[in-house]
Structures are given as structure tokens and as C-alpha cells.
Amino acid sequence: MTDYNFAYLDEQTKRMIRRAILKGLAIPGYQVPFASREMPMPYGWGTGGVQVSAAVLTPDDTFKVIDQGADDTTNAVSIRRFFQKTAGVKVTEATEEASVIQTRHRIPEQDLRDDQILVYQVPIPEPLRFLEPSEVETRKMHALEEYGLMHVKLYEDISQHGAIATAYAYPVKVEGRYVMDPSPIPKFDNPKLEMAGIQLFGAGREQRIYAIPPYTQVVSLDFDDYPFEASKADHACDLCGAEDSYLDELIVDDEGGRMFMCSDTDYCAGRRKQGHVGAQGVPYAEDAA
Amino acid sequence: MQSLALEGGFQNAPTDAAHAFRSIMTAMARPGEISRVDGATPPAPLSVATGVTLLTLCDPDTPVFLGKSVNAQEIIDWITFHTGAPLVEAKDAMFAVGSWQDLTLDDFPIGTAEYPDRSATLIVEVPTLDNTGAILAGPGIKDTSRLTVPDIDAFQTNRQNFPLGLDFIFTCGNRLACLPRSTRVS
């Protein structure tokens, strides 16, 4: 472990990131520019989240990483090992035990406590980017609180599809001021953005950090006659039977067979350990054997 | 430069700074909550908490303004040796240190409409720091919290500038609490 400085980054870089995090917390939802470093992984693989985690971690932390809810995917495993090696922190797959959770595109099903920190990996932090490609213009739009274009986009959804078709990266307004991209989490997760834990967002390639302090008002944009709806697949989990969790759809053969299962693997395993069994599941003990 | 200036820094900079930052970040995320920090012993009259905050956040990239009560050679030497931060006038400062009387809020940058983050953070030495007095509400606070703040009017004016404005770190001994611009004080 002594081959690296604690948590990989040098101290001056961490100070720069830490200052950006503090400004982000002071201005909820505002994207603070920061001098993103090259990390030993490609842009787009969570370099923003990794840099924020590196600036936040202490040696006493227990670290968890999820990728689309799963603890055991390549990206999650390699980031977890990265900090195990460079920061010497304990790691876990249990949401309950983690003090810092780095996530790609999901919020854990289990409510976070006030002593937990959620770090998001963000690909495109600017919610207006696909509507207005110029950074100069979008910055001006945020400064003037000019978010009409975003409502036009949602309105066009309704006129074309009969409903707001945006299913992930659903824009939110933070504390009545900044419109923010919650990263590509499913809109099912949007109501959970108002939580007890601290939420930090890091976009490495785009060089932006932003934050939501605990208990901050986060409102998903909508219309009076087309209210926001946190949707999920209309199914129960086939492994654990949960009806309230966000589901992944898995094609299981070439005859149209498919199953739905919890995207949050820790939540699903926890329920199965408690004895819940879904339509296509087997009891947890048998599966492990 | 006397040897005093060389002492009182972090023993183990990476981990001491990591613990200190976590305390400061938690305090900034939960305005009014008082955190304890340790690891630095700056020359008097700087408190431990002020010293720790400077070591954790300041470096050659962050111009610092020193208020009258802390503008002594010993302190200048200590900050210069341990952080390398340039000392500047209030209008150019990213951080400021001093007592409440030292700091004239209008002098500091509050950011621009397009870059509200380009604003100063004021580290204010206060004689008492308790969860009594002014009522705080806003992001990071579940219902309301209370904190002894030096002046209620000044923070209400600061809040009116939101999203522009100054952010405050109050230090007292080895304890600190934060008041970001987003907090409503009454």
C-alpha cells in the first residue's frame, strides 16, 4: 500500500477536488469546474467518481461500488480493488455496512443513513447539453435560470409519445434553482434523491463536480397535467419476489424466454437470505450449494 | 524565519487531511452541525480548527487574506511554510482568515452569475460555537438547526445573493461549523 500516496491522487490534486466539493455543497446542483486528472482507467469508466471518492475516503471507511446496481460487474470490481490497493480501505458488498458508496447509474434500494456518502459517476453532467451544444450558452442559461428549453423537450415527448418518454437521466430542479442531471439513473430512483446521505457527482471527462446536501429539495420536472411518475417494469423480481425494487430484464433463451430480477444485487440477495423466493427462484441456501 | 513556523503541521499529511476534510465536508453539507478536527497546532491566536482547515484546503493555488487580528509575522511564516498560499488583498482572496470584526464582507468576491463558485470562503475565528441562537434552515438541514452566529443580518443579505455569495467556516478551538450561502438564517 505504501507504493501509492493514500487514495492514489497526490495531495494538491485532492485539495483542488476537495475545494470543488465544498463549493458544490454550498451551491446545490451547480456544476463546479475542476481540473480532472488522468486516472489509470479510460474516461467513461468512472474517472470522475473515482476522483471524488479518492478525495473523500479516509482510512477508516468501508467502500462499496455498484454498477447498475450490481456489486459483481467488471467496473465495480476493478474500482473496489483499486481503492483496496491504493487506500487500504475495507470493502463490502452490503449497502448497510458501507460508509462510502460509489455508484454507476443506480441508487441502492435500501435508504441511506445520514453517515453514508453516495458518489455518482457522471458521463454528461450538463442536462441541457443535448438541447444546446455550446457550453457558453448553457452556462448563460443556468445563470439566467432559463430552463424553458428543457420543458419544451419534455413537452415534445408528450406530443410524440403521449407521455414523458424520458426514462433515465430525468432532469431535476434542486432547491428551486439549478436544473441538474442526476446522472443516468432510472427515473424510478429520482424520488430517492431527497435522502439523509450526502450525494456527490463526479464527471471526469467533462471536468465537473456537483453535489446535493442531505434533505435538499429535489423536484423532477413535469407538468400539472402530466405529473412525474417513477416507473419500473410491471413485474415482481423472479429471484426474490420483490415488487418494490427496480428490475433488470434478462433474456434467458432464444425462444423469447425472459426473466426480471432486481438490479440491486445486494438487496436481492438480502431478501433471498431472509427466505423470499420469486417465481423462477430457488431458496438461497440451495443456490449457494 | 524562526523554527516555530516549521512546526505544527500534519504528522501524516495524506491521512490527517483526509480525516480533516471529511469533518469539514460533513459540516458544510449539514450547516450548523459542529465537527471536531485535530492534527495541526498553528501559532496563537489561530485555533487548531483554523490551522487544520488551512492545511486541508489551501496551497499555492489559493490566495489567502489575513484579517488584522491574525496578520502577524509568525502566522504569515506558518501559513507560507505549510501551505505556500500567497497572501493577498480581500478582493483577490479565495480564503480569508480572521475574527468577525476583521472581515468586511463586501470586500470579498462572491462569484459571478456564470461561475458562482468563484467566491471566497471565510474562516472566521469565533469566541463561542454552540447549537443555540440563530435558527438555520435550507439544504442539508432536516427541519431547522441552531448555531451561534456573529451577525444574523449579514447572513440574510448574503443569502439574498444566492446562488452568489460567501461561504463561512466558523472555528473555535478544535471545533468548526459551516454556514454556506444556501442557508436561511433567522
Side-chain angles (χ1 to χ4, degrees):
Chain A
M1 185 237 153
T2 47
D3 293 346
Y4 295 95
N5 188 36
F6 174 72
Y8 186 77
L9 292 172
D10 61 279
E11 289 306 297
Q12 191 166 0
T13 298
K14 279 192 271 180
R15 278 192 294 270
M16 174 270 295
I17 296 171
R18 286 167 177 163
R19 292 192 295 264
I21 292 173
L22 292 185
K23 286 298 173 195
L25 285 165
I27 319 165
Y30 166 74
Q31 303 162 50
V32 185
F34 82 111
S36 179
R37 299 295 193 248
E38 275 200 40
M39 298 301 286
M41 64 182 74
Y43 283 135
W45 284 71
T47 54
V50 165
Q51 289 178 78
V52 170
S53 292
V56 164
L57 281 173
T58 73
D60 305 339
D61 276 316
T62 305
F63 190 57
K64 169 183 162 91
V65 187
I66 51 175
D67 177 358
Q68 303 272 18
D71 289 278
D72 50 6
T73 55
T74 312
N75 197 201
V77 171
S78 54
I79 292 173
R80 202 162 55 226
R81 287 201 186 140
F82 176 74
F83 282 114
Q84 215 173 358
K85 190 170 182 180
T86 61
V89 290
K90 291 197 288 290
V91 295
T92 181
E93 295 193 2
T95 305
E96 174 76 27
E97 292 167 11
S99 52
V100 178
I101 303 173
Q102 183 172 329
T103 175
R104 174 174 173 273
H105 310 353
R106 267 318 304 278
I107 298 175
E109 299 292 348
Q110 187 183 329
D111 286 340
L112 297 193
R113 297 186 307 268
D114 60 3
D115 60 344
Q116 292 178 304
I117 296 169
L118 189 57
V119 177
Y120 294 76
Q121 303 171 198
V122 183
I124 306 284
E126 177 50 74
L128 304 165
R129 182 59 70 235
F130 292 108
L131 308 170
E132 170 51 65
S134 159
E135 169 70 10
V136 175
E137 289 300 319
T138 52
R139 206 154 262 285
K140 214 172 276 173
M141 289 158 81
H142 282 293
L144 299 172
E145 219 176 331
E146 175 51 69
Y147 295 126
L149 204 55
M150 188 56 90
H151 278 101
V152 171
K153 190 228 172 209
L154 295 176
Y155 172 76
E156 283 181 352
D157 263 12
I158 295 170
S159 63
Q160 283 179 19
H161 306 287
I164 298 178
T166 306
Y168 64 94
Y170 193 102
V172 295
K173 197 165 203 179
V174 181
E175 204 61 26
R177 180 57 182 82
Y178 283 100
V179 165
M180 188 195 93
D181 183 343
S183 86
I185 58 172
K187 66 177 174 181
F188 174 80
D189 282 343
N190 272 27
K192 286 188 273 181
L193 289 163
E194 289 186 0
M195 63 159 73
I198 298 171
Q199 298 173 83
L200 305 173
F201 298 76
R205 181 190 54 221
E206 304 292 322
Q207 313 202 323
R208 296 289 183 272
I209 285 172
Y210 50 106
I212 304 179
Y215 312 114
T216 299
Q217 185 198 54
V218 182
V219 179
S220 303
L221 299 182
D222 61 0
F223 298 99
D224 289 345
D225 48 349
Y226 285 88
F228 171 79
E229 203 182 341
S231 61
K232 65 183 268 287
D234 189 15
H235 248 270
C237 172
D238 283 327
L239 293 178
C240 78
E243 292 178 355
D244 57 352
S245 70
Y246 189 73
L247 302 174
D248 286 338
E249 183 179 358
L250 188 71
I251 308 296
V252 291
D253 54 31
D254 56 3
E255 290 161 2
R258 57 187 186 167
M259 66 187 288
F260 289 91
M261 53 197 195
C262 295
S263 123
D264 186 334
T265 52
D266 171 57
Y267 180 76
C268 197
R271 278 180 53 86
R272 292 176 67 208
K273 277 182 200 161
Q274 287 166 16
H276 298 280
V277 181
Q280 300 182 46
V282 290
Y284 188 79
E286 286 175 32
D287 201 21
Chain B
M1 187 187 282
Q2 292 180 343
S3 65
L4 191 66
L6 310 182
E7 290 163 11
F10 285 146
Q11 293 298 309
N12 183 347
T15 53
D16 286 355
H19 285 294
F21 175 69
R22 182 66 79 81
S23 299
I24 297 167
M25 182 184 84
T26 308
M28 190 62 87
R30 300 173 199 285
E33 196 171 287
I34 295 172
S35 298
R36 281 170 197 281
V37 290
D38 57 24
T41 45
L46 289 191
S47 64
V48 170
T50 298
V52 168
T53 307
L54 288 169
L55 295 189
T56 306
L57 299 175
C58 295
D59 57 30
D61 293 337
T62 59
V64 171
F65 170 82
L66 289 183
K68 205 162 52 166
S69 67
V70 296
N71 200 345
Q73 195 56 45
E74 265 182 4
I75 291 174
I76 293 172
D77 288 346
W78 191 82
I79 292 176
T80 307
F81 176 74
H82 288 281
T83 71
L87 300 173
V88 296
E89 290 174 48
K91 69 176 174 52
D92 300 319
M94 271 175 77
F95 287 89
V97 184
S99 67
W100 182 248
Q101 290 74 25
D102 285 347
L103 306 171
T104 311
L105 301 195
D106 292 343
D107 292 349
F108 293 97
I110 59 169
T112 65
E114 286 166 13
Y115 292 95
D117 57 304
R118 294 180 182 173
S119 57
T121 303
L122 274 47
I123 305 167
V124 186
E125 294 268 5
V126 292
T128 54
L129 192 62
D130 291 300
N131 290 120
T132 56
I135 299 168
L136 314 184
I141 304 167
K142 192 169 186 183
D143 300 310
T144 56
S145 66
R146 280 174 171 270
L147 188 69
T148 47
V149 298
D151 182 355
I152 291 177
D153 287 347
F155 298 114
Q156 288 176 340
T157 312
N158 188 46
R159 164 70 210 186
Q160 279 168 4
N161 292 326
F162 189 85
L164 309 190
L166 303 169
D167 306 309
F168 298 87
I169 301 176
F170 299 115
T171 57
C172 179
N174 65 347
R175 300 175 309 136
L176 60 85
C178 295
L179 194 67
R181 66 193 78 178
S182 59
T183 304
R184 294 181 293 276
V185 184
S186 56

